[in-house]
Amino acid sequence: MGFRSITIVDLTRVEVGDDTFGELVSGSIFMAKHLALTVVATVLLCGCMDDAHVTLPSDSNSIRKRSIVVDISQCVTKQGQTVACSDVPTKDLQRVAELRGVIGAPATAVKLDNEKNLKDITYGQLSAFWSRIPVGYGCDATLQGIFPDKSKDSDNLNSYNFEELDRLIGAVRTAYRVPLWTAAYGLGDAQSSGGLKSSCVYGDVGMKVRGATVAEQIGTPIGSTDAEIAKWAKVVRQVTKRYNRTLPESKKDDSACNPQPGGVKDWWCTPSLFNIEFGRDPNGAGGFTDATKTNWLKAYKAFATELRAEFPYPGNDVLMLAPSVIVRSATEAQNTALGSANRSWLYDFIDYVVANKLKLSLLSFEVEAASPVEALNIVKAVRAYADEKGLKDEDGRAIRLFVTDLRLNATKIPESLKENPGRFAAFQGAFYTATKTLWQGLVFGATMGRVVRFPTQSSAEVDEATLAQNSLDSDLLWFDHPTEAPGNLKPTGWATFWFNRDFLGSGGGELDACVPGKVCTDAVAEARRKGLVEVTQGPDALGLTGQIQSDLNDGLIAMATRENCVSTDVDQLGDAIDCVPLTGNSDDFPAVTEGRQRVVRVLVTDMNVEVPSTNEVLMHQLRLEVKGLPNDVKTVGYRWARMNGNILSWLGFVFPEQGVADVHDGRLHVERTIAVPSMHYFELLY
């Protein structure tokens, strides 16, 4: 190809040479002088890390080649086909399913945790869209706490206690996010507890973190008789009605709901709760058994009937998600045989909804997997079964899938990685990111990763210090780390951040929040022609090791998008101005972005930390090749950001390396020594 490269020799000198290890970017390089030492140090040191807990064999840190290929001339359609981009109408482009949901609100569940950094900085950086509440926050915001005495009148709002749910919904809405409320679990039983509010119960229902069992909140069953089930459903209806009608109506004359021009209304001034989830983990934390499964299915019928009686569809935005069964392996998901002891309850639910012609907005379930590929296979199996049974949503479309939790089964990763919090967070972040990449075109929405720490004991039984000490770690933020401020982002947070509308996301507008029954338009995304392009995955799509290999189980997982400029402005000389969305510290490097009319974004995850000998690999030599650039493109501005276990957190967003590269025959490539596990985001501007 005639590529040239810059080869790192030492920390003060660079030499131009042939294609050799250590290359930065093919072709001529523009690099700001004050970044030169930073870039050199990054290339030399990115993959090196100390592990005080294990002595690795001498060959464990050997460099192994990895490569992927992005063809920006080939676009992916909504049907999953790859065709020439010039032949695809804009409406048929497959846009990125952002899946930007988290579990929890910008409000702590452990009182001793610092909430300020979480509320003021970090939650916004996560760029979440959905926030799933209230599981993990104790009993007060579940139905057990909201309706503490099931003998009371469900139509009388004085029978309810909304204080904790108000706190959580208020925190989510004030942060301009969308709450997803889990109607869990059964109603409270103050009579049996002597008139006192019953406390939470915690126990082992299958939750494991880094291979260790962790207790989680266990609920009471929804009901054991038809009368109890009917009352439970009426309570759910009243809660939903209160946040969408009763509360806004009662506050309409408040000064907080009638601000001066430029002011902001308080969250309760407008409807605030549209996504209602039917319980969760019914045959685990939900308390149902094989003997009482029929009651669980009846409860959904009552749930759907009551909600649609109050909120007919079409005509409102209230969505019903169900049944949030946990699918713990691809083997379980693929076992659909009637009568099988290992058949998932999810399939029983699908059969029941179809047979009884019940209404359902989104099919929800939780996923536990040991790898992104296993998570993909679980979703494929669920998709296939739902299609086979003809499960439709309320618009008559094939039901859309919503994953309400994604858990990493960490039994197959090295022990040393589990023991190192930074590397484990990077591995988990890569797991989330790679899984979201593979779920494109299959999953409509997802909430994954706990924002805050959750108690594993009842606050009525232990003091606050003990509660904090034994709490379940946040997946996304640091709360108990000697060098990180409470509430700072972990590397895991990248899995949400990169999918927002300024980067890989759909481009902003209504498409991000489109709900059934609405006409979804997005002029910006349409004009940009923003969509997915073809990626040939690793581990070695280029054959750098002598053999071309493309195996998701053993290599890199990547995705890429392309988009056009939407501005027609020109500068004083009549030249087109830069209209690529600018993010990060781009103003320091004008040559990277000036006059660029298009952008290609590439997200690469590398979590292949083991080799056949079971020794760990801590570094890979990554080569990203991009082809299909227009013939008239001679240079490309590039920006690169990365996250791994060496970088425990970040505040704000920066691209630590930026430059300009020559293009030869419509191709360019980037080559790096990278840490494993790690995530990498590239922007190529032309």
Side-chain angles (χ1 to χ4, degrees):
M1 298 297 298
F3 290 136
R4 298 197 310 159
S5 63
I6 288 183
T7 302
I8 302 303
V9 178
D10 57 35
L11 291 181
T12 59
R13 183 168 63 95
V14 296
E15 294 181 354
V16 177
D18 297 325
D19 269 347
T20 53
F21 173 68
E23 178 184 24
L24 289 180
V25 179
S26 63
S28 61
I29 300 292
F30 163 85
M31 189 65 65
K33 290 182 179 179
H34 71 273
L35 262 195
L37 290 180
T38 301
V39 172
V40 171
T42 297
V43 173
L44 290 179
L45 302 177
C46 180
C48 301
M49 58 193 74
D50 295 327
D51 192 328
H53 302 282
V54 64
T55 301
L56 298 174
S58 59
D59 67 340
S60 63
N61 206 27
S62 58
I63 301 298
R64 299 178 184 274
K65 295 180 183 293
R66 294 288 186 267
S67 65
I68 62 172
V69 178
V70 175
D71 188 345
I72 68 168
S73 69
Q74 299 295 306
C75 284
V76 180
T77 69
K78 290 179 179 178
Q79 293 73 36
Q81 300 173 327
T82 302
V83 298
C85 294
S86 58
D87 297 336
V88 185
T90 302
K91 64 181 179 61
D92 291 335
L93 291 171
Q94 184 178 134
R95 294 195 178 93
V96 172
E98 298 181 358
L99 311 181
R100 290 189 294 119
V102 296
I103 298 172
T108 56
V110 176
K111 290 184 179 180
L112 293 184
D113 286 342
N114 186 336
E115 194 170 90
K116 187 177 188 305
N117 200 39
L118 165 67
K119 294 181 68 172
D120 295 348
I121 300 175
T122 314
Y123 195 80
Q125 290 176 333
L126 278 173
S127 187
F129 182 75
W130 292 285
S131 293
R132 187 191 190 202
I133 54 174
V135 174
Y137 281 91
C139 298
D140 289 350
T142 66
L143 288 169
Q144 176 182 336
I146 294 171
F147 200 84
D149 188 345
K150 63 183 180 182
S151 67
K152 298 291 186 179
D153 181 6
S154 61
D155 290 330
N156 187 344
L157 288 182
N158 291 327
S159 303
Y160 296 75
N161 180 359
F162 292 107
E163 182 178 356
E164 179 66 359
L165 189 55
D166 280 353
R167 180 177 81 97
L168 297 180
I169 291 179
V172 173
R173 295 293 291 167
T174 302
Y176 302 102
R177 301 300 186 254
V178 177
L180 189 165
W181 176 59
T182 305
Y185 298 98
L187 306 180
D189 190 6
Q191 284 188 332
S192 65
S193 57
L196 300 175
K197 181 176 66 174
S198 54
S199 63
C200 280
V201 176
Y202 291 83
D204 176 15
V205 287
M207 168 81 78
K208 293 184 182 295
V209 177
R210 301 192 204 175
T213 299
V214 178
E216 65 175 318
Q217 184 179 337
I218 301 175
T220 55
I222 288 171
S224 58
T225 67
D226 289 350
E228 289 179 345
I229 290 170
K231 186 166 189 175
W232 176 88
K234 289 182 181 298
V235 169
V236 174
R237 175 177 177 172
Q238 287 294 340
V239 172
T240 310
K241 179 181 177 181
R242 191 243 182 188
Y243 286 101
N244 291 326
R245 291 183 179 157
T246 310
L247 184 60
E249 179 66 22
S250 69
K251 299 288 187 180
K252 65 180 182 180
D253 295 327
D254 287 6
S255 59
C257 297
N258 297 278
Q260 296 296 320
V264 178
K265 293 182 180 181
D266 279 335
W267 68 268
W268 56 71
C269 300
T270 56
S272 55
L273 187 59
F274 303 112
N275 304 289
I276 316 300
E277 181 183 12
F278 169 65
R280 69 165 294 271
D281 189 18
N283 52 336
F288 287 99
T289 65
D290 287 335
T292 59
K293 184 192 298 184
T294 300
N295 289 335
W296 169 62
L297 295 171
K298 287 181 179 179
Y300 179 73
K301 184 176 183 179
F303 169 91
T305 300
E306 288 289 345
L307 281 180
R308 281 297 171 245
E310 185 68 42
F311 300 97
Y313 186 90
N316 69 85
D317 295 335
V318 172
L319 302 182
M320 301 182 299
L321 294 78
S324 292
V325 171
I326 300 177
V327 183
R328 299 189 184 277
S329 69
T331 301
E332 177 185 341
Q334 292 160 357
N335 180 7
T336 61
L338 279 171
S340 170
N342 297 319
R343 174 181 154 105
S344 173
W345 281 29
L346 179 60
Y347 299 139
D348 297 325
F349 176 83
I350 292 173
D351 292 347
Y352 183 81
V353 170
V354 172
N356 289 275
K357 299 180 180 179
L358 301 178
K359 296 182 181 298
L360 177 66
S361 308
L362 296 163
L363 182 68
S364 65
F365 54 100
E366 301 183 12
V367 170
E368 182 174 300
S371 71
V373 174
E374 183 175 32
L376 171 64
N377 290 335
I378 289 172
V379 165
K380 282 183 173 180
V382 173
R383 175 79 273 163
Y385 190 86
D387 289 346
E388 177 189 343
K389 297 300 179 179
L391 182 61
K392 307 290 185 181
D393 68 11
E394 295 174 274
D395 287 313
R397 300 172 297 191
I399 195 72
R400 292 182 296 177
L401 307 183
F402 198 110
V403 179
T404 48
D405 195 2
L406 173 62
R407 297 182 184 179
L408 170 63
N409 180 340
T411 58
K412 297 181 180 179
I413 65 175
E415 290 299 320
S416 61
L417 192 148
K418 298 178 189 177
E419 295 165 1
N420 184 313
R423 291 193 67 212
F424 183 83
F427 186 87
Q428 189 175 24
F431 170 71
Y432 285 164
T433 304
T435 299
K436 289 172 69 169
T437 298
L438 297 180
W439 280 352
Q440 294 301 308
L442 289 169
V443 176
F444 167 76
T447 52
M448 58 181 72
R450 297 177 299 278
V451 177
V452 297
R453 297 201 294 176
F454 288 157
T456 60
Q457 299 165 287
S458 172
S459 59
E461 299 174 358
V462 298
D463 58 38
E464 291 183 1
T466 303
L467 195 72
Q469 181 179 0
N470 297 326
S471 62
L472 179 63
D473 278 350
S474 166
D475 293 312
L476 304 175
L477 309 180
W478 297 112
F479 282 99
D480 187 19
H481 194 280
T483 64
E484 295 300 316
N488 275 4
L489 287 175
K490 288 182 177 180
T492 327
W494 265 41
T496 299
F497 181 85
W498 287 115
F499 285 80
N500 77 53
R501 63 192 60 176
D502 289 330
F503 300 105
L504 291 165
S506 67
E510 292 297 323
L511 286 177
D512 284 347
C514 179
V515 296
K518 284 191 172 182
V519 176
C520 304
T521 59
D522 184 346
V524 174
E526 293 291 336
R528 288 181 182 172
R529 281 184 58 84
K530 188 170 188 177
L532 289 167
V533 295
E534 182 182 42
V535 176
T536 305
Q537 315 275 3
D540 191 5
L542 289 168
L544 301 178
T545 56
Q547 180 181 358
I548 294 177
Q549 301 178 70
S550 182
D551 183 353
L552 297 177
N553 287 289
D554 188 39
L556 308 170
I557 294 176
M559 66 185 301
T561 65
R562 58 172 277 173
E563 64 187 279
N564 296 335
C565 176
V566 296
S567 173
T568 57
D569 294 336
V570 295
D571 61 19
Q572 293 178 344
L573 299 177
D575 295 326
I577 65 170
D578 169 30
C579 60
V580 172
L582 297 182
T583 48
N585 54 343
S586 55
D587 292 342
D588 295 336
F589 307 96
V592 175
T593 58
E594 281 184 353
R596 308 293 179 182
Q597 299 295 298
R598 299 172 181 84
V599 58
V600 174
R601 308 175 193 272
V602 184
L603 184 63
V604 181
T605 59
D606 186 351
M607 53 187 298
N608 185 218
V609 298
E610 286 191 288
V611 294
S613 65
T614 71
N615 296 336
E616 283 187 75
V617 175
L618 303 184
M619 292 192 294
H620 281 157
Q621 182 181 344
L622 168 66
R623 182 174 176 126
L624 164 65
E625 181 155 318
V626 179
K627 65 180 183 178
L629 289 159
N631 292 331
D632 60 347
V633 174
K634 304 304 179 185
T635 64
V636 167
Y638 73 90
R639 306 194 291 191
W640 172 47
R642 69 269 185 189
M643 178 61 73
N644 58 59
N646 293 325
I647 311 169
L648 295 185
S649 67
W650 41 278
L651 294 175
F653 170 73
V654 295
F655 289 94
E657 180 188 326
Q658 306 190 42
V660 174
D662 286 341
V663 176
H664 300 272
D665 301 325
R667 292 174 177 255
L668 65 84
H669 70 260
V670 179
E671 193 161 309
R672 294 290 183 278
T673 303
I674 64 171
V676 184
S678 60
M679 295 157 279
H680 303 266
Y681 173 80
F682 297 90
E683 285 184 354
L684 306 173
L685 315 172
Y686 63 98

